[in-house]
């Protein structure tokens, strides 16, 4: 298998590139120095791939996963002597994670929950995950250095601090996770909802979402505020979701300019299928169908024998065990002034009503949200599904026959009460490429580089050994499953990193990061000097200790 990444010609393939509105067009793809070009500057040393009767699509992008955090190390520790975990998940080593992502056609992944104090650990893990490009979102939902600024509504100061924090940690964006719910440590109870003032602070949790969304828009970061709704997989989560959706309707921000390279949304909702545990998704569907300022990732359930749990949602891990303080074989941790973490294992079962609801919600939302550019395919990996479930999941979206067959032995209450059990709608193949490739790139603000096959884009490409034009995607779903199970070529920056069953692991991806809009040194110093004093007074370490001294060869800054 060639390691050469200079000149590559992919001939005669059936191309799907939603960004360029190319839907099943037979054309050639030219790659020079890792970039897609209109024509070669030289005709020397061109490697050719004949893609006759094959389908060419952009490489996949994961907008939400947990593969390089401290919690991943805890999962490895908890699973050390768990035979089922080791046999089904390869102990989730860095090499195993890279191989599984490459096998499923991915070249970019987003670690969606990193506390600033642990960012160096994530960078270390990133460097040890070969081939893939990576980015991390800093979890600032419980970030006490910003408490005073939120209370006093100093949104610009918050933006300045976020920018500096991203620069220090080499973060790409921010995650808003259970805003300031750490009061449980003082009062030993969970708050009822996000609309009430805190006991220790003079603002509402919902104000934190709003403030961070405004701060991210001031910075014009590539990705919007990435929001985890408190109480997911609980009815409280639905109530909190509806509260936030109402607040977003009232949030007066200038409409974003829609361009190829820029995102549309001001708020991204994580694993939206987990937010309506009663199975009624009408409110979020109606909201997205009438509001382009929000997008969502959908975490599809694969019903694996065992799934690692990686979360920071205190209500969730309080609920998932009868008494989490007495539960054995789990790890609960709190980071100083930053938030909580929980790691354990569970199993999804087709005879469990709640598990079926989570499964059905993902499909319901995928089918009924009209604008597929507002949806991103996710597994919340490894929380909800294994990567090798993807070919099977794809058939549920493209084929009602595949979906109904899979549902035959599901929970009876679910089958009787939920509309998805009789919904015959399906996605078309172009919709699938939007969900798994183009839309994640757009939402992350990376479509200049990723998720498309336009001239000037990075040559991250999949070649499927199937001609989509010659099959019935509903009836021939087994052929589609096989094509995605054995992706023939995965190309990363012009390098062939997978050909059939051979994977090349000696290519090093980049760590994408951003600090957003530029501020003057005078503006920054006014805010940062106060934060340094805060750290020195209240923390067990100094602010400058967050500096991530990393070789520039690993980094790619996104303006």
């Amino acid at each position: 298998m060639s390691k050469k990444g200079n000149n590559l010609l992919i001939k005669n393939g059936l191309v799907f590139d939603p960004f360029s509105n190319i839907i099943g067009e037979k054309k050639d793809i030219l790659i020079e120095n890792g970039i897609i070009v209109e024509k070669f500057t030289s005709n020397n040393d061109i490697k050719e791939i004949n893609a006759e009767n094959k389908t060419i699509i952009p490489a996949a992008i994961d907008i939400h996963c947990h593969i390089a955090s401290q919690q991943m190390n805890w999962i490895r520790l908890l699973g050390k002597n768990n035979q089922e975990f080791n046999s089904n998940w390869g102990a989730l080593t860095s090499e195993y994670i890279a191989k599984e992502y490459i096998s499923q056609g991915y070249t970019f992944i987003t670690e969606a929950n990193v506390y600033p104090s642990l960012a160096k650990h994530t960078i270390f893990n990133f460097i040890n995950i070969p081939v893939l490009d990576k980015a991390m979102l800093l979890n600032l939902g419980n970030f006490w250095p910003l408490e005073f600024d939120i209370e006093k509504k100093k949104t610009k100061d918050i933006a300045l601090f976020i920018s500096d924090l991203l620069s220090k940690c080499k973060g790409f964006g921010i995650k808003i996770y259970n805003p300031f719910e750490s009061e449980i440590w003082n009062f030993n109870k969970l708050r009822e909802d996000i609309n009430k003032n805190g006991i220790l602070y003079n603002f509402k949790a919902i104000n934190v979402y709003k403030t961070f969304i405004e701060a991210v828009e001031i910075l014009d970061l590539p990705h919007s505020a990435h929001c985890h709704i408190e109480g997911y997989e609980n009815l409280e989560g639905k109530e909190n979701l509806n509260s936030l959706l109402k607040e977003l309707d009232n949030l007066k921000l200038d409409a974003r300019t829609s361009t190829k390279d820029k995102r549309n949304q001001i708020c991204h909702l994580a694993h939206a299928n987990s937010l309506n545990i009663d199975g009624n998704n009408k409110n979020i569907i109606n909201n997205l169908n009438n509001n382009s300022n929000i997008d969502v990732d959908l975490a599809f359930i694969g019903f694996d024998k065992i799934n690692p749990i990686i979360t920071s949602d205190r209500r969730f891990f309080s609920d998932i065990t009868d008494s989490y303080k007495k539960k054995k074989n789990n790890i609960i941790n709190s980071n100083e002034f930053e938030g909580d973490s929980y790691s354990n294992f569970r199993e999804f079962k087709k005879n469990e009503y709640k598990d079926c609801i989570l499964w059905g919600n993902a499909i319901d939302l995928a089918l009924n949200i009209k604008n597929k550019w507002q949806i991103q395919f996710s597994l919340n990996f490894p929380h909800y599904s294994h990567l090798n479930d993807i070919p099977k999941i794809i058939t549920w979206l493209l084929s009602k026959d595949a979906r109904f067959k899979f549902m035959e032995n599901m929970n009876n209450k679910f089958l009787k009460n939920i509309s998805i059990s009789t919904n015959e709608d399906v996605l078309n193949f172009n919709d699938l490429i939007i969900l798994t490739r183009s839309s994640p790139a757009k939402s992350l603000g990376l479509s200049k580089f990723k998720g498309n096959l336009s001239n000037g884009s990075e040559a991250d490409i999949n070649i499927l050994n199937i001609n989509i034009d010659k099959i019935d995607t509903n009836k021939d779903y087994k052929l589609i499953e096989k094509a995605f199970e054995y992706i023939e070529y995965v190309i990363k920056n012009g390098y062939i990193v997978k050909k059939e069953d051979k994977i090349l692991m000696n290519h090093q991806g980049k760590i994408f990061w951003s600090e957003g809009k530029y501020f003057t040194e005078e503006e920054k110093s006014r805010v940062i000097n106060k934060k340094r004093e805060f750290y020195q007074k209240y923390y067990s370490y100094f602010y400058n200790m967050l500096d991530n001294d990393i070789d520039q060869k690993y980094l790619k800054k996104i303006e």
Side-chain angles (χ1 to χ4, degrees), residues 109-358:
I109 55 178
T110 312
E111 165 57 62
N113 183 18
V114 178
Y115 293 125
S117 64
L118 296 175
K120 290 182 180 180
H121 178 87
T122 296
I123 292 290
F124 175 83
N125 280 338
F126 276 174
I127 292 171
N128 284 280
I129 297 176
V131 180
L132 304 171
D133 290 332
K134 284 87 56 173
M136 68 167 129
L137 305 179
L138 298 182
N139 182 346
L140 302 184
N142 277 280
F143 205 52
W144 286 95
L146 292 174
E147 176 196 3
F148 177 80
D149 298 322
I150 294 170
E151 184 175 337
K152 299 300 181 182
K153 299 180 181 180
K154 295 187 174 183
T155 309
K156 184 177 179 182
D157 286 3
I158 292 172
L160 281 160
F161 183 49
I162 288 174
S163 176
D164 195 69
L165 199 62
L166 290 170
S167 179
K168 281 185 176 298
C169 298
K170 297 302 178 280
F172 183 74
I174 68 165
K175 177 82 167 282
I176 310 170
Y177 213 133
N178 298 358
F180 287 84
E181 46 83 77
S182 294
E183 286 188 331
I184 188 173
W185 288 115
N186 300 81
F187 301 101
N188 198 31
K189 67 177 182 178
L190 291 163
R191 62 174 169 233
E192 295 178 19
D193 61 60
I194 61 176
N195 286 297
K196 294 187 175 181
N197 272 21
I199 302 171
L200 297 175
Y201 48 86
N202 190 30
F203 53 83
K204 301 174 183 178
I206 199 167
N207 296 140
V208 180
Y209 287 108
K210 179 180 176 181
T211 300
F212 276 121
I213 288 169
E214 291 175 333
V216 169
E217 294 309 300
I218 289 173
L219 291 173
D220 195 22
L221 289 172
H223 186 44
S224 65
H226 193 107
C227 298
H228 171 106
I229 305 301
E230 176 182 340
Y232 75 131
E233 297 191 28
N234 284 273
L235 287 175
E236 289 87 354
K238 184 182 182 77
E239 296 168 3
N240 289 332
L241 167 67
N242 292 338
S243 294
L244 180 59
L245 291 176
K246 184 177 180 180
E247 186 71 22
L248 291 174
D249 285 341
N250 298 326
L251 191 60
K252 302 301 180 184
L253 289 173
D254 293 335
R256 293 192 62 82
T257 303
S258 180
T259 67
K260 176 185 173 183
D261 297 339
K262 294 284 188 179
R263 59 181 165 88
N264 287 22
Q265 86 283 1
I266 61 170
C267 176
H268 174 87
L269 299 177
H271 36 74
N273 58 300
S274 66
L275 303 179
N276 292 317
I277 203 62
D278 60 358
N280 183 347
N281 296 295
K282 288 182 180 179
N283 190 31
I284 190 170
I285 289 171
N286 290 336
N287 196 289
L288 265 72
N289 284 342
N290 291 284
N291 185 354
S292 63
N293 275 349
I294 307 170
D295 69 3
V296 299
D297 67 74
L298 307 178
F300 290 86
I301 309 297
F303 293 100
D304 305 296
K305 290 183 178 180
I306 185 172
N307 281 90
I309 299 173
I310 293 177
T311 184
S312 293
D313 191 310
R314 186 178 284 274
R315 186 178 294 279
F316 169 80
F317 65 74
S318 296
D319 180 70
I320 201 169
T321 59
D322 292 332
S323 178
Y324 69 87
K325 291 183 180 179
K326 298 178 182 178
K327 180 75 175 177
K328 295 181 179 179
N329 299 322
N330 64 18
I331 294 178
I332 303 170
N333 180 69
S334 286
N335 285 74
E336 185 180 15
F337 289 1
E338 293 179 334
D340 307 319
S341 300
Y342 176 82
S343 300
N344 204 338
F345 295 100
R346 68 169 165 175
E347 179 185 358
F348 291 101
K349 298 179 180 179
K350 292 174 73 174
N351 62 357
E352 290 288 340
Y353 179 70
K354 182 176 177 180
D355 295 349
C356 292
I357 290 290
L358 292 170

Side-chain angles (χ1 to χ4, degrees), residues 7 62 124 141 189 194 208 259 301 339 430 504 523 545 556:
N7 293 345
D62 194 344
F124 175 83
K189 67 177 182 178
I194 61 176
V208 180
T259 67
I301 309 297
N430 195 61
L504 187 68
E523 287 177 305
M545 291 174 69
K556 185 180 183 74

Side-chain angles (χ1 to χ4, degrees), residues 417-436:
N417 297 337
I418 304 301
S419 62
I420 190 64
S421 64
T422 57
N423 189 336
E424 297 188 356
D425 292 343
V426 293
L427 303 184
N428 61 46
F429 190 77
N430 195 61
D431 290 336
L432 177 72
I433 304 309
I434 293 174
L435 263 64
T436 56

